[in-house]
Amino acid sequence: AKKVTTIKASRVADYENFTIPTENIKDDDPLSLQLTEITDPISWIVGGKRNLIVGNTEGISVINGGNIDTTITSTAVNADLANKEGASSAIPTEKDSQMIYIGTDKTKVYAFDYDLVSETFVSTNLNLLSEELGQIEELYYKRDNNNLVYGRTSKGQMIALLYNKSENIVGFFPIETNGEVLSMCTLLRPDGKDDLFISVKRHGICYIERMTDEIDFTNFYDTDYEKDPNKENYNRLQLEELKKAVYVDNGVTYNELHNETITIADGKAKSEVNAFTSGMIG
């Protein structure tokens, strides 16, 4: 028989206290909640404004204080299986207040949102009419001028999802990287936009690269470049504009892969084998 899936929460601002009082339970006390409608292990938990979204292979569950507008407390907490479109272990990404996640078999991508008409949470299949994409391992939304969701397949191929709910636009397309993409992530910039970094393997060496938008270089040449006395000034200007497309693929390389156990004791991480040296940090 499968075990009951349980979520335990600590006391507010006392993160190691999981002891539930036997009486006089307050809103900020620890809690233990059984998700009776699912028995498979939880793949991920994503926090919303007042809800917790729980994904596993059996479906998407929503935890709240009894309805979508009620905050979770120890005295008011409820969990319901919202739908049975299960999820993979990949952490979802968010775009336009919708949660975008990969399905259980990794071949479908879903948008999870609350439908005001039916007053239920709904998962919408975003590649129902698309060609077979293969198994999708990761998804990341990149906030910029294009507002695309980028993904990585099990074959190391990059893909992009153009999705606009209000305009009813959905489309996938591949991105050529001339290598095998091993992982990706986004980092928030000071201007509120995102940088997308990928780790890509070429000829046995892993490179880290930053994806950038296309750059329009300043062009003020009406004469032959070689005969222009101001070409040095143009070279300097172009160099400054090239800084907008900084790639770190040759800045960091690593080709020694190790499989070992990392333990944490007294607040320090320790490796069984001294495989990493200070010279590998840059």
Side-chain angles (χ1 to χ4, degrees), residues 100-103 105-111 124-136 139 159 161 163 170-172:
I100 314 296
Y101 72 94
I102 303 171
D105 62 0
K106 298 184 179 182
T107 62
K108 295 183 177 63
V109 175
Y110 295 93
T124 304
N125 186 351
L126 297 184
N127 56 321
L128 185 63
L129 300 178
S130 302
E131 295 181 1
E132 183 67 29
L133 299 174
Q135 288 195 328
I136 305 171
L139 286 176
I159 58 174
L161 165 62
Y163 174 52
V170 180
F172 284 89

Side-chain angles (χ1 to χ4, degrees), residues 62-102:
V62 178
I63 303 174
N64 49 44
N67 59 66
I68 62 170
D69 296 322
T70 304
T71 304
I72 300 170
T73 65
S74 294
T75 57
V77 58
N78 181 72
D80 292 306
L81 184 63
N83 62 56
K84 294 186 177 182
E85 302 295 351
S88 72
S89 59
I91 303 299
T93 190
E94 182 181 343
K95 182 183 188 297
D96 301 333
S97 299
Q98 286 189 300
M99 187 182 71
I100 314 296
Y101 72 94
I102 303 171

